[in-house]
Structures are given as C-alpha cells and as structure tokens.
Amino acid sequence: MLNVKNLAVQFLNEEDKSWTPAVNQINFTLEKGRVLGIVGESGSGKSVTSFSIMRLHNPRSTRVEGDIEFETINLLNLSEEEIGKYRGNKISMIFQEPMTSLNPVFTCGDQVIEAVILHQKLSKEVAKQHTLQLFEEVQLPQPERIFNSYPHQLSGGQKQRVMIAMALSCNPDLLIADEPTTALDVTVQKTILQLLAKLKEERDMAMIFISHDLGVVSEIADEVAVMYKGKIVEQGTVEQIFKSPKHPYTKGLLACRPSPCRVLKVLPTISDFLEAKQDQPIQHLLEANSYTTEEIAARRAELYAQPPLLQVRNLCTWYPVNPGWFGKVSNYVKAVDDITFNVYPGETLGLVGESGCGKTTLGRSILRLTDPTSGTVIFNETDLCSLRRNDLKRIRKDIQIIFQDPYSSLNPRMTAGNAIMEPLQVHHLHHNDQQRKAHVISLLEKVGLNAMHFDRYPHEFSGGQRQRIVIARALALEPKFIICDESVSALDVSVQAQVLNLLRQLQQELGLTYIFISHDLAVVKHISDRMIVMNKGKIEEQGFPEDIYSHPRADYTKKLIAAIPGTNTLYL
C-alpha cells in the first residue's frame, strides 16, 4: 500500500538561507492491514516523515526529495488540489496534542461534521448521524453530549477519541497516529491502544504508529523502524527488535525505560550504549546495576529509624458544587478525602494514580498552594495549616515543588538565569545580584547545564533542559523537601531516564526528601522507597514498591499494573 524510497527532507534556515537536513534517505514499506511502528526520540525525524506522507510541509521553506508511492501513485508529484483528495480521505492523521489540534471555539461535533461534509458531500443531518455513530464506535460516553461539548470540557482521553473519530470519518485506507498517547494516564493509554487495534482490524486499514516509547509501540505494531538523527538505524518485526536488538541506539531505548522487574541504582541512558567500547548485552548491564536485597534492607533500616520530616493527618480538600439559594452548598467534590501518611528524611515517597484521583491536589494542599478543608500537615514540627501567610512564606523556603509542565511554569520573557535567581531575590538571600548569579551558575552546572545557558530564554531549550532549569530553581533556596508533580510524564523515555537519575543523584548529594507524583507505576516503582496508590481522593493501598507490584491487594492497583506498556514484550 505504501512504499517510501530514499525520502530526504530539508528545512530552510531563514538567517543564513542554508538548508538543514531533518530526514536523510529513509526507506520502508507498509502492507494493507499491517501496523508499522516508527520509534525514536524527539528530533529524530518521525513526525517530519509523517508530515511528508501527508504533504503538510510548507513548500517555500521545505525540500522533500525521493518517492512516496501510495497505491502506485507518487504523492510527491501531485498538485495541491490532487493531494487534497487523498489527505483526510484515503490517508488520515491523528496529531500529537488533541487540545491544540481541536479548535476551541467550535463544538467537537461540528469539527467532525466539517471533515465529513468536505470529503463525502453529505447533508448536515446525515453527517451528524454519521458523527454520532463514530463517537459510539470510538467508545465515547454519551455521544450526544460530547457532540455538543467544546474541547476544554472533555478529559484528555475523550479529546483523543474525538481526534480518532475525526481521522476515521472518511474511512481511510491508511491511518497515521503521531504520538497519540503521549502524557495520557497509562490506563487511558491502554484503552486508546486497544481501541486503535480494534478499529484497525474491523476496517482492515494500514497504520503508521509513531512514538518515542518502545513499550507502547510493542503493544500495537507488527513491524518497527527505529529512527535516530533523521535515519532509520534498524527495522524488523516486533520480535526481532525487542528480543534481538542490533543497533546500540535501539538497545539504549529499550534499557532506559524503568523496569518493573528490577530495582536499578541508575537507569541506563542512550549515551551508555552509543559510547560503549564493547557490545554489552542489555540483560548483563541491568543485572550489574541492580540493588541487592541487603542494600535495600540497609537503606530502609536507616530511613525508618528517624522521626518523620512530614506528617499528614486526616487531610481533606473538598470543593463545593451546585450552590443553591443564598449560596448554600448541596454537595462537594472530595478531591482529597481523609488522607494520612508520614514522609521520612531522605526518603522518596511515590504517589501514583490516574488523572483526577487527587494526587496533584494533595501535593498543593501540603504546600498550602490550595488551602485544605480540614486536617493537619506537620513539617519539621510546624503545623503548616495553622500558619499565617507571612509565616508560611518563610517556611516555603524549605519546601519546593517541581511542576508538571516546565514550559508553562517558566516565564517566557525571563531568561533561565533570572528565573532561578528570582526566588533568591524574593527571600533576600546573598548580598547582591552578582553573588546570586554566581550561585545560579553553580546550580546550572549541578543539574548538567552551564554558564552559557544563563542568558537563554525557555523557548531556546529542549524539554529535558527546561526540566533541569525548573529543578535548579527548586534547589535555589536549598530546600529540605521537594514535591515532584508529574515532572517526567511528557518527556522522551531517554530524557526521562536522565532526569530520574539526576533527581536521585541530587537526593544523595544534598539529603533531599521527595514526594514523587506520577500516573506511571513503573516510574514510581523505580524511584520510590515507599508507594501510595490513590483513587478518588482516597488511599487504595500503601507499602514497599516490590510488595505492591508483586502482590497488589486492590483491584485498582491491579488495573494500573496491567496497563504498564510492554511488560510482556520488552527485554527486561
């Protein structure tokens, strides 16, 4: 069905009018009814390849060479009018971020109807019935309500299903899914993967599934192409790629995912394999890097012999809903409902659960960024819930938070250096800005950046670098305790490994205590000394990671474990 030959893509650099290669002489084929997984880090050329197939590049600033044959027709030779008959009709695409792909001023139903009317020339009433059928097919609850809802009124998983319905609206022969599950809960991710596989079988269509996560690709693909720096470095069946990887980059991608089966001291990174002088099997590297039972027992004995640093007692954060006459509240959303636990100095407590379970609200309530309804939070023998704002400001020096999205938590008009320096100025630390700048540069170096990054703006950094800047800012006030709120969820698995290693290294060097919040149980299990599983504002279960993973008591925990992608396929 699809035959890509010697595809090369270059982008124009407006400053010096030079051409920068993004994809370099790649070749692959795809048969009807099959799924090709294209995997690699951000910047490897995956999305550039898919945009080339769809002919979505700007012809004034992009050079595309080679052949893209779809059912014997070379798509690169078609006029703009001719390619319009294929795009969205025979070849359709699910884009990476549904919130930015859907128009916020139109209802979800109207946006799908538009595509149906454009390509199938149906009346508006018939197009609406077709859209409602599609919403049922992609298993959206209450299709009529979703039809009349705006994108901001839906959850992430629901928005992604609307995008899938739109992509399927014209019954395409080829579906391109570009990172369709990135940053979704693992349980939602699993349902989306199962849905795509089911629709592919029922419609007998071919699919290109793009991801940075080999575990996700292993769940849905028949063949896999691994991309690195614009080239395909390895391709083969899922069995060949996952059981007998040949290229060092493929081995690195496989090894840098946190393994639910081992407790690793340091996660391997891509560079460990690309720079290795000898070809080391993944299994051997992981076994040599694992904690022994004795080492784990010794750490726990040391941690839990201390008095707790943080004590949370019967904490509740409720939000009023449906206020009636005279403002009387008839009901509450119990985001955090009677939560009790301790955190010990130097410990990492993992907090895991789906979106909406109350993890982030709990973290914000501990810091008093959201005022709790009732309960106590005792930090270092001080009850945070009883403090006035001025007293709370002083103690916040010791408690910091790393937010989920580093880009939105950094001021786009402020350089990285000034963003890190700002809390030093607010708390009047160091004598002058010259001394503060020296401290900031030392922090940048501590998180793997350098002095040259001080004067750069957030948009000039990669996602992993921005996360390092946010970590440096959290460290600026020399805190004792940091809450990491989904701080690696949207990163490439390779960058995620680097950030997790950095957090653990800083903990050892500075004696930090963490609450680590995530929806990914494999990540939480890797970094945590103890785990709490949350659901609907309450604690489902808590304990040591290996106990919860091996012998989960709650059905909800079993569901989270079953949703970890690639558990049965990956080279663990």
Side-chain angles (χ1 to χ4, degrees), residues 52-250:
S52 301
I53 296 169
M54 294 286 288
R55 288 274 303 275
L56 292 174
H57 293 303
N58 184 343
R60 289 190 294 275
S61 59
T62 313
R63 282 180 183 167
V64 182
E65 298 171 347
D67 297 304
I68 301 175
E69 294 179 357
F70 177 76
E71 296 177 338
T72 72
I73 302 295
N74 191 341
L75 299 179
L76 297 183
N77 293 338
L78 299 180
S79 67
E80 196 59 37
E81 184 181 349
E82 290 170 328
I83 192 65
K85 296 174 183 176
Y86 284 83
R87 191 190 294 144
N89 192 12
K90 285 183 168 293
I91 307 173
S92 198
M93 189 166 181
I94 305 166
F95 293 97
Q96 181 169 355
E97 177 45 68
M99 192 63 209
T100 56
S101 303
L102 292 169
N103 192 325
V105 301
F106 290 102
T107 65
C108 295
D110 284 340
Q111 294 185 60
V112 179
I113 277 181
E114 183 184 22
V116 174
I117 293 174
L118 176 66
H119 289 290
Q120 298 196 23
K121 314 300 181 191
L122 301 176
S123 69
K124 190 165 185 178
E125 188 55 40
V126 175
K128 178 179 179 179
Q129 292 306 314
H130 181 55
T131 299
L132 290 171
Q133 288 172 4
L134 284 167
F135 283 177
E136 285 184 15
E137 190 176 0
V138 299
Q139 298 166 14
L140 276 166
Q142 302 172 299
E144 192 76 45
R145 180 183 65 81
I146 300 290
F147 185 94
N148 294 310
S149 297
Y150 290 90
H152 72 272
Q153 296 174 306
L154 305 183
S155 69
Q158 288 174 333
K159 284 194 283 278
Q160 197 60 279
R161 287 169 190 267
V162 170
M163 287 295 298
I164 294 170
M166 189 184 296
L168 296 175
S169 61
C170 298
N171 199 24
D173 297 317
L174 171 61
L175 178 65
I176 301 173
D178 185 8
E179 299 271 14
T181 61
T182 298
L184 293 178
D185 287 348
V186 285
T187 48
V188 179
Q189 174 179 269
K190 190 174 184 69
T191 60
I192 295 293
L193 291 173
Q194 289 171 341
L195 173 64
L196 287 172
K198 174 175 171 284
L199 294 170
K200 190 266 298 183
E201 288 294 330
E202 291 175 352
R203 292 167 173 256
D204 193 29
M205 63 184 178
M207 191 188 305
I208 295 175
F209 189 95
I210 296 169
S211 179
H212 63 260
D213 190 336
L214 272 165
V216 172
V217 168
S218 73
E219 297 280 332
I220 195 168
D222 300 303
E223 290 96 26
V224 180
V226 181
M227 288 194 72
Y228 177 59
K229 292 186 176 178
K231 295 182 178 180
I232 292 179
V233 296
E234 186 168 2
Q235 55 184 316
T237 65
V238 168
E239 181 77 14
Q240 290 167 343
I241 295 295
F242 287 87
K243 298 302 180 186
S244 305
K246 299 290 187 292
H247 197 276
Y249 181 71
T250 311

